[in-house]
C-alpha cells in the first residue's frame, strides 16, 4: 500500500506596498458629509439665503464635489467616478425620503392634539366656532361608505376589463378601450364630479326623489369609481402581462378551459400586483375632496344612509376645518388628516397580508 503525499500549498507572498491600491480611510466619507453640511449651513444662514432644505441640498452638492476630488487624488479617476455615482444615488435616496419623513413627522406631531374619544365619537352638528368639542365621526362613516361602494363597483369592472384586454382583446376594439383608459387616467377629479352631478344628481336622482335632485354619498361613490377605474385596469393589465406564458400553456396542455386557467392560474399568480393597484386607487379615492363636495354636499350631522341626504368625508372635513375661522379648527383638521393616512395604511397592510396568505395557501 502506497501513500501519496500532497505537497502543502504555501501562502502567496505578500505584495509590496507599491503594488497595493491606495484607498480613502473609512471615516473619510462621513467626515466629508459633516464638513459639507457645516459649510452649507454657514453659507446659507450667513448670507440668509433660505432654510434647512437649502442647507441639505447645498451640503449634498458640496459633499459630492469633495468626495470626487478626494477620491481622485488618493484612489485615481476610475475609483473616484465610482464613488461619485454611488454617493449620488444614495444622496438622491435621502433627498427623496426627506419630504416623506417631513410629512409623516408633521402629521404625527400636529395630528395627536385631538386623538380623543370625543373626536372619534361625535360629529360637528351644533358645534360653534367657540366650541372646542366636535369630531369627525360623521366624516369617517362617510369615507368608509363611499370608498367601500366605489371599490365594490370598480374592482370587478376593472379586473374584468383588464382580463378582456390581455386574454381576449384583439384588434381595434381592444386598442380603443386601452386608449380611453389611458385618457381617463389624466382626468381631473373635479371633472368626474361635474359629470356625476350633471348625470346622476340632476337627471337620475329626481326619479327617486319626487322630482327633486338630491345629493348623496352614493353619488360621491360613483364619482370616486370613475377615478379609481383607470388605475385598477392599468395595474391589473400590467400584472396579467407579467404572468409567464408557460403557465397558461401548461394548463391548456392538460385540457383546462381558458376561463378556468384565468381563474385558477393567471389571477392567483398576479394577485399581489393586482391588490397593490387596487389599494393605490383606494388611497386616491379616499383623499379626493372636489367630487364629494360637488355631489355629496358635505354635512355636519351623522348620516348612515349613503343613498339619501348630504354626507361628508374625511378629505372634505379636512378642507372645511382648514378654512374655518376658529382656533380649534386646525387641530381637528390635522387629526382628521392623520386619521385618513392611518386608515389607508391599515387597509393597505390588511390587503397585502390577505393576498400573501392566499398565495402561500395554494
Amino acid at each position: 500500500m502506497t501513500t501519496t503525499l500532497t505537497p502543502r500549498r504555501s501562502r502567496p507572498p505578500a505584495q509590496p506596498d507599491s503594488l497595493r491600491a491606495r484607498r480613502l480611510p473609512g471615516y473619510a466619507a462621513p467626515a466629508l458629509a459633516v464638513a459639507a453640511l457645516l459649510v452649507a449651513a454657514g453659507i446659507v444662514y450667513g448670507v440668509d439665503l433660505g432654510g434647512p432644505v437649502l442647507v441639505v441640498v447645498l451640503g449634498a452638492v458640496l459633499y459630492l464635489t469633495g468626495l470626487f476630488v478626494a477620491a481622485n487624488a488618493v484612489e485615481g479617476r476610475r475609483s473616484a467616478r465610482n464613488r461619485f455615482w454611488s454617493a449620488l444615488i444614495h444622496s438622491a435616496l435621502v433627498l427623496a425620503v426627506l419630504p416623506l419623513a417631513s410629512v409623516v413627522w408633521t402629521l404625527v406631531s400636529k395630528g395627536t392634539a385631538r386623538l380623543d374619544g370625543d373626536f372619534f365619537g361625535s360629529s360637528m352638528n351644533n358645534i360653534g366656532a367657540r366650541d372646542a368639542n366636535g369630531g369627525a365621526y360623521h366624516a369617517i362613516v362617510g369615507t368608509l361608505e363611499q370608498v367601500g361602494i366605489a371599490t365594490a363597483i370598480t374592482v370587478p369592472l376593472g379586473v374584468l376589463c383588464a382580463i378582456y384586454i390581455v386574454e381576449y382583446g384583439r384588434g381595434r376594439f381592444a386598442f380603443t378601450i386601452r386608449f380611453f383608459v389611458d385618457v381617463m387616467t389624466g382626468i381631473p377629479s373635479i371633472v368626474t364630479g361635474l359629470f356625476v352631478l350633471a348625470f346622476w344628481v340632476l337627471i337620475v336622482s329626481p326619479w327617486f326623489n319626487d322630482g327633486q335632485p338630491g345629493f348623496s354619498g352614493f353619488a360621491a361613490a360613483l364619482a370616486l369609481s370613475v377615478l379609481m377605474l383607470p388605475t385598477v385596469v392599468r395595474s391589473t393589465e400590467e400584472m396579467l402581462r407579467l404572468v409567464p406564458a408557460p403557465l397558461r400553456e401548461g394548463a391548456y396542455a392538460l385540457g383546462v378551459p381558458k376561463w378556468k386557467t384565468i381563474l385558477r392560474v393567471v389571477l392567483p399568480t398576479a394577485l399581489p400586483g393586482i391588490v397593490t393597484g387596487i389599494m393605490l386607487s383606494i388611497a386616491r379615492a379616499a383623499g379626493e375632496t372636489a367630487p364629494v363636495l360637488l355631489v355629496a354636499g358635505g354635512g355636519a350631522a351623522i348620516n348612515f344612509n349613503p343613498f339619501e341626504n348630504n354626507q361628508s368625508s374625511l378629505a372634505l372635513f379636512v378642507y372645511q376645518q382648514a378654512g374655518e375661522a376658529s382656533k380649534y379648527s386646525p387641530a381637528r383638521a390635522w387629526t382628521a388628516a392623520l386619521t385618513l393616512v392611518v386608515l389607508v395604511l391599515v387597509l393597505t397592510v390588511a390587503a397585502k397580508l390577505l393576498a400573501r396568505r392566499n398565495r402561500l395557501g395554494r
Side-chain angles (χ1 to χ4, degrees), residues 322-340:
E324 289 287 337
S326 172
K327 66 179 182 179
Y328 304 108
S329 296
R332 299 191 195 107
W334 282 111
T335 305
L338 178 62
T339 303
L340 180 59

Side-chain angles (χ1 to χ4, degrees), residues 7-290:
R8 296 180 60 184
R9 295 181 179 178
S10 60
R11 295 181 180 180
Q15 296 180 351
D17 294 338
S18 59
L19 296 180
R20 295 178 183 176
R22 294 187 302 169
R23 299 189 60 83
L24 289 173
Y27 60 85
L32 284 173
V34 173
L37 286 176
L38 292 177
V39 172
I43 294 175
V44 172
Y45 291 116
V47 190
D48 196 13
L49 293 176
V53 176
L54 185 58
V55 171
V56 173
V57 174
L58 183 59
V61 174
L62 294 176
Y63 167 69
L64 293 174
T65 305
L67 182 63
F68 180 81
V69 172
N72 187 38
V74 176
E75 300 177 353
R77 189 170 185 83
R78 182 176 180 179
S79 180
R81 287 198 299 265
N82 179 61
R83 280 185 176 272
F84 174 81
W85 287 108
S86 299
L88 181 62
I89 293 172
H90 288 91
S91 300
L93 173 64
V94 172
L95 291 177
V97 171
L98 281 178
L100 177 62
S102 176
V103 170
V104 173
W105 172 254
T106 303
L107 280 176
V108 173
S109 61
K110 295 187 177 182
T112 55
R114 284 298 312 274
L115 284 178
D116 50 42
D118 181 68
F119 182 83
F120 294 102
S122 63
S123 67
M124 291 298 296
N125 198 24
N126 298 324
I127 299 296
R130 299 183 179 180
D131 196 340
N133 297 322
Y137 180 70
H138 62 299
I140 297 174
V141 171
T143 296
L144 293 176
E145 290 184 351
Q146 294 164 18
V147 175
I149 295 174
T151 303
I153 296 173
T154 305
V155 171
L157 290 177
V159 172
L160 291 175
C161 181
I163 290 174
Y164 172 79
I165 293 175
V166 176
E167 303 292 340
Y168 296 96
R170 298 293 184 273
R172 184 173 298 178
F173 185 64
F175 173 78
T176 304
I177 294 177
R178 192 178 298 107
F179 173 76
F180 278 106
V181 169
D182 293 338
V183 172
M184 289 177 62
T185 305
I187 293 179
S189 59
I190 194 169
V191 176
T192 62
L194 290 173
F195 168 74
V196 175
L197 176 66
F199 172 70
W200 182 266
V201 175
L202 299 180
I203 297 178
V204 179
S205 65
W207 296 354
F208 309 98
N209 196 27
D210 298 329
Q212 298 295 325
F215 294 152
S216 64
F218 180 73
L222 291 179
L224 296 179
S225 65
V226 176
L227 293 173
M228 294 171 61
L229 186 61
T231 304
V232 175
V233 174
R234 291 297 296 168
S235 60
T236 305
E237 178 187 355
E238 295 301 326
M239 291 302 105
L240 294 179
R241 292 188 186 279
L242 291 177
V243 176
L247 292 179
R248 297 181 176 89
E249 296 170 356
Y252 297 153
L254 295 174
V256 181
K258 188 171 185 177
W259 68 269
K260 188 173 289 187
T261 300
I262 296 172
L263 185 63
R264 297 295 182 86
V265 177
V266 178
L267 285 179
T269 304
L271 184 61
I274 295 174
V275 171
T276 300
I278 292 173
M279 296 313 301
L280 287 175
S281 64
I282 290 176
R284 181 189 178 186
E288 290 293 345
T289 303

